[in-house]
Amino acid sequence: MANAEERRFEVLRAIVADYVSNQEPVGSKAIVDRHNLGVSSATVRNDMAALEEEGYITQPHTSAGRIPTDKGYRLFVDRIAEVKPLSAAERRAITAFLDSGTDVDDVLRRSVRLLAQLTRQVAVIQYPMMTNSAVRHLEVVPLTPARLMLVLITDSGRVDQRTVDLGDVITEENVARLRTVLNGALAGRRLSEAAAAVAELPEKSPGELRDSLTRVCTVLVESLVEHPEERLVLGGTANLTRNVSDFPGSLRQVLEALEEQVIVLKLLAAARNPGAISVRIGEENEDEQMRSTSVVSIGYGMDDMLLGGMGVVGPTRMDYPNTIAAVRAVANYVGQILSGR
C-alpha cells in the first residue's frame, strides 16, 4: 500500500508541476509522456481517480484534465523533500543588491523589489519590530543653546531623530553630562525596558539637570514606545494581474485586502521565528478576501531575535519550491544586514 501511496503522490506532484507551468488541466497521457513514472496510462488514471476521491485534485471542466485543490497543494508543500537552493550567482546578486542599501528604509525597499522580481508575486516586508530591538547608542546634538537633537540608534539599524526644546539655555558641559546619563540608562537595553528606565531618570538626576532631563525623557519615551512594526512595504502588486484567471471574480478583493495593513500584518503573524517558513494555501487564510491566494512568509532576524516578518502573496497556482527558496534567501540576507548595522 505504501508503494501505491508513493506512486499517487508522484502523480500529484506531476499534476502540480504541469499545472503551475502551463495553467492547463493535466491528463493521464500528458503525465505518462512528460514524467518518467514507469507505469501505464491506465494505472495513472486509476491513481487520478483515487486522488480525486480523496479531494487532492479536481476536474474543472468535462475535459479529462485535472488540477490540484488547496488540499492537494498542501500535501505537495508538506512533502517537499528539499527546496532547490539558489545558485552562487543568485546569492551574490542578492548580497550585492541589499548590501548597497544606505539605511533601513532603503534596505527594505530593495528587499521587496528583489523578492517581487525573484518570485513574480507580490512581496511584503514588515519594518523591524522595535519591541525586539535594543538601544545601541543615543547621540545628543546641540542645535541652539536651548534646543537639542536626539538621535536614537538601535541594534536593528533603525535611526530615530527627535528635537527637544529645553525652554532654557544649556551649557556644553551639561549637554555632555546629559549624554552620559542617558546612554548609561539606555545602552544595551531592550526598548520596552529602556522606556521604563528613561521615565525614572529625572527623579534621580542632579537638580541643575532635572528640567532639561525631564523634557528630553518625555520625548524619548514617545520614541521608545512607538510601534513602527505596523509599517509595511509592498512591491510587485502588478504581478497579480498577469494571470487574472488565477483569481476568478476575486482579484479586486485581493488587491483591496493588500491595501489593508491589518490584513497583511495578520498574514505575516505566522512568522514567529527567524528562518521558519510558513505556507498558507487558499482556504487556510483567515481573511475571506485572501482565500484565492497562497501566502509564503518567514521571520527575519538573527539567531533567536525576530526583527519582523516578510513574504509573498500570489495565486495558489504558485511555484512553491522556488518561492520558498527565494523568500528564505532574501530573509536570511536582510536579517544579516540589519543585525550587522
Side-chain angles (χ1 to χ4, degrees):
M1 184 60 191
N3 287 339
E5 285 184 1
E6 282 304 313
R7 193 184 65 238
R8 282 176 195 160
F9 177 71
E10 289 306 315
V11 171
L12 174 64
R13 187 200 292 270
I15 292 170
V16 169
D18 284 3
Y19 184 61
V20 167
S21 176
N22 304 323
Q23 205 179 356
E24 295 289 338
V26 184
S28 57
K29 185 176 185 307
I31 292 173
V32 171
D33 290 346
R34 293 178 193 150
H35 303 270
N36 187 23
L37 300 184
V39 294
S40 67
S41 287
T43 302
V44 171
R45 278 196 297 276
N46 288 338
D47 288 340
M48 289 173 73
L51 287 167
E52 187 168 12
E53 192 173 327
E54 292 167 6
Y56 294 112
I57 59 176
T58 187
Q59 188 174 25
H61 315 293
T62 52
S63 69
R66 305 293 192 280
I67 65 172
T69 61
D70 288 355
K71 183 180 177 182
Y73 284 124
R74 168 49 60 195
L75 179 62
F76 171 76
V77 168
D78 289 346
R79 294 273 309 265
I80 292 175
E82 59 181 54
V83 173
K84 179 182 83 79
L86 298 183
S87 69
E90 287 172 320
R91 291 198 301 273
R92 281 195 301 273
I94 291 173
T95 309
F97 186 65
L98 296 183
D99 266 344
S100 54
T102 54
D103 55 23
V104 176
D105 297 303
D106 192 29
V107 168
L108 296 187
R109 281 194 298 269
R110 285 168 176 264
S111 303
V112 158
R113 200 156 72 241
L114 180 63
L115 194 52
Q117 287 170 355
L118 287 172
T119 62
R120 303 186 73 193
Q121 313 291 358
V122 177
V124 57
I125 188 166
Q126 181 182 17
Y127 264 76
M129 289 189 270
M130 293 286 272
T131 46
N132 288 346
S133 301
V135 177
R136 181 178 289 171
H137 181 68
L138 176 73
E139 189 51 61
V140 182
V141 182
L143 297 176
T144 70
R147 198 166 193 231
L148 301 176
M149 176 184 283
L150 308 177
V151 184
L152 182 74
I153 304 165
T154 73
D155 61 358
S156 62
R158 186 152 189 86
V159 178
D160 196 10
Q161 295 183 357
R162 299 291 175 106
T163 56
V164 187
D165 288 310
L166 300 176
D168 204 351
V169 174
I170 188 170
T171 65
E172 285 187 22
E173 181 188 348
N174 279 343
V175 170
R177 289 172 69 193
L178 271 181
R179 188 181 297 116
T180 302
V181 168
L182 289 164
N183 276 295
L186 290 171
R189 287 183 186 259
R190 295 267 180 236
L191 296 208
S192 52
E193 299 166 2
V198 161
E200 294 171 2
L201 274 181
E203 294 175 19
K204 303 174 183 174
S205 66
E208 66 273 19
L209 283 183
R210 190 164 299 157
D211 285 349
S212 299
L213 202 53
T214 299
R215 289 177 184 251
V216 168
C217 289
T218 302
V219 171
L220 262 182
V221 168
E222 288 175 6
S223 252
L224 293 166
V225 299
E226 279 188 350
H227 300 288
E229 63 264 30
E230 292 172 6
R231 291 172 60 194
L232 295 165
V233 187
L234 267 80
T237 309
N239 286 333
L240 292 185
T241 62
R242 283 186 297 110
N243 292 302
V244 178
S245 58
D246 281 323
F247 307 96
S250 64
L251 180 56
R252 174 181 280 186
Q253 287 184 351
V254 173
L255 293 172
E256 286 173 355
L258 288 173
E259 290 177 6
E260 295 279 340
Q261 293 227 349
V262 174
I263 291 175
V264 182
L265 283 166
K266 277 198 292 186
L267 296 178
L268 298 180
R272 290 295 177 201
N273 301 307
I277 287 274
S278 167
V279 182
R280 291 189 188 175
I281 299 168
E283 294 293 324
E284 295 170 358
N285 285 304
E286 187 181 326
D287 195 275
E288 194 173 336
Q289 292 166 282
M290 301 300 290
R291 289 184 183 160
S292 61
T293 72
S294 283
V295 181
V296 179
S297 59
I298 193 170
Y300 71 88
M302 277 298 280
D303 301 323
D304 295 329
M305 186 176 79
L306 179 71
L307 293 178
M310 64 187 298
V312 300
V313 179
T316 54
R317 188 185 66 85
M318 178 188 288
D319 182 347
Y320 291 97
N322 285 334
T323 299
I324 290 169
V327 168
R328 181 172 285 150
V330 174
N332 181 40
Y333 288 116
V334 170
Q336 288 178 19
I337 289 165
L338 294 187
S339 299
R341 283 177 179 267

